[in-house]
Structure formats: C-alpha cells, structure tokens
Amino acid sequence: MNKKQVPITHHHFPWDHPRFRSWIAVARACQLMQQTLTRALAELDIKPPHLDILVNLYRFEGITQQELARKLLVGRSNMSMLLPQLEKRGLIERRGDEKDKRVLRLSLTESGRALSEQAMEIQTAIIDKSMEDSPIEECMIVAQAMERLVGILLKDAGDPD
Amino acid sequence: MNKKQVPITHHHFPWDHPRFRSWIAVARACQLMQQTLTRALAELDIKPPHLDILVNLYRFEGITQQELARKLLVGRSNMSMLLPQLEKRGLIERRGDEKDKRVLRLSLTESGRALSEQAMEIQTAIIDKSMEDSPIEECMIVAQAMERLVGILLKDAGDPD
DNA sequence: TGCTTTTTGTTCATCGTTGTACAATAATGT
DNA sequence: ACATTATTGTACAACGATGAACAAAAAGCA
C-alpha cells in the first residue's frame, strides 16, 4: 500500500471543491442576470430593485413596508428611499393603516399594475431564454438546492434586520 | 377529451413558471450568501468585493486591472477605486509593465496572500455548510445550469464591459 | 513617418444599499 | 393608569458600483 502516499498537496485550494465551484457559477450567473435585467428594464425607466417591489406588491396587496423589506431581504431604510420615488411616479400608493398608525399599507395604482406586467414579461423572457437549455427537472433541482441553502443561512443568521 | 379544456387562466403569472421560480430561488440565495459572507469577513476587515479580487490575484499572478475587471464582471473604474485601498493596506502590489506602459500588473504581497487564505477558508466553510444537504451530483447540475446561463447571457450581451 | 483609432487606467457625478440614530406609535408589565 | 420596551417608518452619512469624460500609451493605417 505504498501507493497510499500520493503527492500530498496539503493545501486544498477552494477551486478544487465541487461545492465551491458550484457556488462561484451561481454568483457569476446572478451578477450577469442582474446586469442584463438592468439593461432590459431601462426602456421602462426602472431598475431591478423597483421590479422586485412591484412584483411583490402585485402578489401581496396591502403589505407594509416592513413586510416588504423582509421579503426582499433588505433593510427598512431601503424601502424608505425607494418607495417615495415610485409613489411620486404614480406607480404605487401608501395609505396609513387605521388601526395601527405606524404602518403604511402599500398597493399598486392602475399604471403601476400595467407597468409591473410589462416588466414581468421582460424578466420572464430573459429567464426563459437563459435557462432554455436546462430541462425542467434540472431547474427544479436548482430551485431545491437554493431553497435549502436559503433555509440554512436564514437559520444561522437568526434573521437579523 | 373534454378534460382538455382546463379553466384557462389566460394570464400566466411569472411565479407559475418553473424556470422563473428557480431563478427567484437563485437570486435569494445569492443575496443571502452575500450578506452572510459580508458579516463573516468583517473580522478580517474586508468585504466580498475585496475577497473576489484577492482570490483572483491568488490564482492569476501578474494579471492587469482590465483582465481582473473582466473576470469579476465589473467596470474598470471599479478596480480603480478598490485596488488603491488594498495597496495602501499592503495587501497587493501594482507594478507598471515594462513593455506596455499603460498597464499595471497586480500581485499579492506576503500579508495579502496570508489574508487571502484566511478569507478563502471562511468562504469555503460557509459554502460547504450551506450546501451540505445537497449531494455532489446535484451541485454539479447546479454548476452546469449556471454556466450554461452565463454562456447565453454573455453571448447576447456581447460582453459590454 | 504622421495621423487616427483603440486600449488602459483614472476621475467624477450619480445612484442604490447599509447601518445608525431618531420620532411616533403600539404593546407589555407593574 | 403609568412606565418601559418593541415596532414601524424616516433622515443621514458612508461606501460600493456604474457610466461618461478624460489623459497617456499603444496599435493600426495612410
């Protein structure tokens, strides 16, 4: 068994680990997708953060800023900066809650809903094209792996913010 | 076959598309990983962008700022902002090339290499933990899907800096 | 050679994100 | 009821990322 003593590299570089390489690919994909989406949304004069907001207001009408920030994994202050912009453009409305005078309930306006639909079409087109070479089952595996990852990280972080 | 005429929703919402849902999971995972990594790297007083730079200098000694920016999918100006910081901290060196007086060749210093190794250990630990529930084969599938995606997006974008 | 175009890095203004500190309101405990 | 603690949204300073404009050097072309 002298074959056992392979030339020990002793220093395992990260890029030799399969999981590490996987993650690097994920990070690169994410970055590129963000840039591509930014360029594509330019014609609607919005950016990815705005789209994230619009999509969530589309799904969850009457949500509060706090809940929205939690869904988007950003801080409350972030919403305090972005939402007034969208409000000034007439895309969303912020109405104070009757029972809890602290919170502002958010909803899309007519034009906001229309713009959301256009933007979502753009985004969906890009995603579909980017993943057209991957069969659905593989996409599901990707989704599962990423959701497990999110679960682990959220548990460890204790959901700070 | 009257079962064929399912109640047509006619409006297919993005979140009904498997690929869309997959991508949303990827984006969330990326965002959370970024935040987790930021917190973990705080003890070394660096941030994810700095780590990306260090890792690439670790692998590709003597690279230029342009090449580095291209690998990181960021603009040249970004490197012009970050690299002087790392140079002042004595983590990297920038030497002018003899033959081409435009370019600056980058390399790690002793302490820069040491810090890089510490940082890469931290990152690898987080990644390993986040993906420990996903078997290696699934990680490979994820990597392949993401690399295909990057290929498609890069081709379409024409690699505009 | 001399002129134009391209490449490389810098500078600057702008914008999104973050964390902290803060004010207003609600919930809790005594 | 009153005081204390938590929660919700805002204001602000700091920082990273971007794109455009710029100077210097190289490459291409007449």
Side-chain angles (χ1 to χ4, degrees):
Chain A
M1 276 297 197
N2 57 356
K3 203 59 181 307
K4 186 80 168 292
Q5 45 166 332
V6 282
I8 303 175
T9 53
H10 194 269
H11 246 110
H12 288 283
F13 297 109
W15 43 85
D16 294 330
H17 294 259
R19 289 191 229 269
F20 185 86
R21 295 178 68 91
S22 284
W23 180 255
I24 296 305
V26 172
R28 275 180 63 88
C30 229
Q31 205 175 345
L32 246 179
M33 178 65 85
Q34 189 84 355
Q35 295 174 1
T36 305
L37 192 59
T38 300
R39 285 184 172 81
L41 290 177
E43 59 176 292
L44 299 182
D45 200 30
I46 62 175
K47 297 188 175 174
H50 303 126
L51 175 56
D52 287 339
I53 292 173
L54 294 176
V55 170
N56 275 274
L57 292 195
Y58 200 99
R59 289 193 72 176
F60 309 105
E61 175 142 0
I63 201 177
T64 71
Q65 296 193 184
Q66 171 82 303
E67 293 164 344
L68 181 57
R70 193 178 301 272
K71 281 182 187 300
L72 300 182
L73 297 173
V74 298
R76 298 188 303 271
S77 54
N78 196 347
M79 296 297 97
S80 279
M81 306 289 281
L82 295 181
L83 291 174
Q85 299 177 8
L86 296 177
E87 193 179 26
K88 287 193 186 77
R89 286 180 57 181
L91 300 174
I92 68 171
E93 273 184 355
R94 299 199 291 174
R95 272 191 309 283
D97 189 305
E98 294 298 328
K99 299 156 189 169
D100 190 337
K101 292 180 184 172
R102 292 172 300 180
V103 315
L104 294 176
R105 303 234 158 246
L106 308 171
S107 56
L108 289 176
T109 62
E110 290 280 337
S111 58
R113 168 167 267 95
L115 188 70
S116 300
E117 286 166 357
Q118 293 180 53
M120 288 189 294
E121 267 186 42
I122 292 178
Q123 187 184 25
T124 306
I126 295 176
I127 293 173
D128 271 342
K129 178 156 197 172
S130 313
M131 294 180 129
E132 66 187 358
D133 291 347
S134 303
I136 298 294
E137 321 105 40
E138 288 194 13
C139 291
M140 305 288 277
I141 291 177
V142 171
Q144 287 168 15
M146 292 300 111
E147 281 163 8
R148 274 197 299 265
L149 190 150
V150 168
I152 292 176
L153 289 185
L154 273 185
K155 188 152 303 181
D156 284 14
D159 204 339
D161 184 23
Chain B
M1 275 301 195
N2 57 359
K3 202 62 179 302
K4 187 83 167 286
Q5 43 164 334
V6 282
I8 303 175
T9 52
H10 194 272
H11 246 107
H12 289 283
F13 297 109
W15 42 85
D16 294 331
H17 294 259
R19 290 192 228 267
F20 185 87
R21 297 178 67 92
S22 284
W23 179 256
I24 296 305
V26 172
R28 275 180 63 88
C30 229
Q31 206 175 346
L32 246 179
M33 179 64 85
Q34 188 85 352
Q35 295 174 0
T36 304
L37 192 58
T38 299
R39 286 185 171 82
L41 290 176
E43 59 176 292
L44 299 182
D45 200 29
I46 62 176
K47 297 189 176 175
H50 305 125
L51 176 55
D52 287 338
I53 293 173
L54 294 176
V55 170
N56 275 273
L57 292 195
Y58 200 100
R59 290 194 72 175
F60 310 105
E61 175 141 0
I63 201 178
T64 71
Q65 294 192 185
Q66 172 81 302
E67 293 165 343
L68 182 56
R70 193 178 301 274
K71 280 182 187 300
L72 299 183
L73 298 173
V74 298
R76 297 188 303 276
S77 54
N78 196 347
M79 294 297 98
S80 279
M81 306 288 281
L82 294 182
L83 291 174
Q85 299 177 8
L86 296 177
E87 192 179 26
K88 288 194 187 77
R89 286 181 57 180
L91 299 175
I92 69 171
E93 273 184 356
R94 299 199 292 174
R95 272 189 310 280
D97 189 306
E98 293 298 327
K99 299 154 187 169
D100 190 336
K101 293 180 184 173
R102 290 173 301 181
V103 315
L104 294 176
R105 303 235 160 247
L106 308 171
S107 56
L108 289 177
T109 61
E110 290 279 335
S111 58
R113 170 168 263 96
L115 187 71
S116 299
E117 286 166 357
Q118 293 180 53
M120 289 189 294
E121 267 186 43
I122 291 178
Q123 187 184 25
T124 305
I126 294 176
I127 293 174
D128 271 342
K129 177 156 197 172
S130 312
M131 296 181 127
E132 66 186 358
D133 291 347
S134 303
I136 298 294
E137 320 103 42
E138 289 193 13
C139 291
M140 307 288 278
I141 291 177
V142 171
Q144 287 168 15
M146 292 299 111
E147 281 162 9
R148 275 195 300 264
L149 190 149
V150 168
I152 293 176
L153 289 185
L154 274 185
K155 189 153 301 181
D156 285 13
D159 205 339
D161 202 14

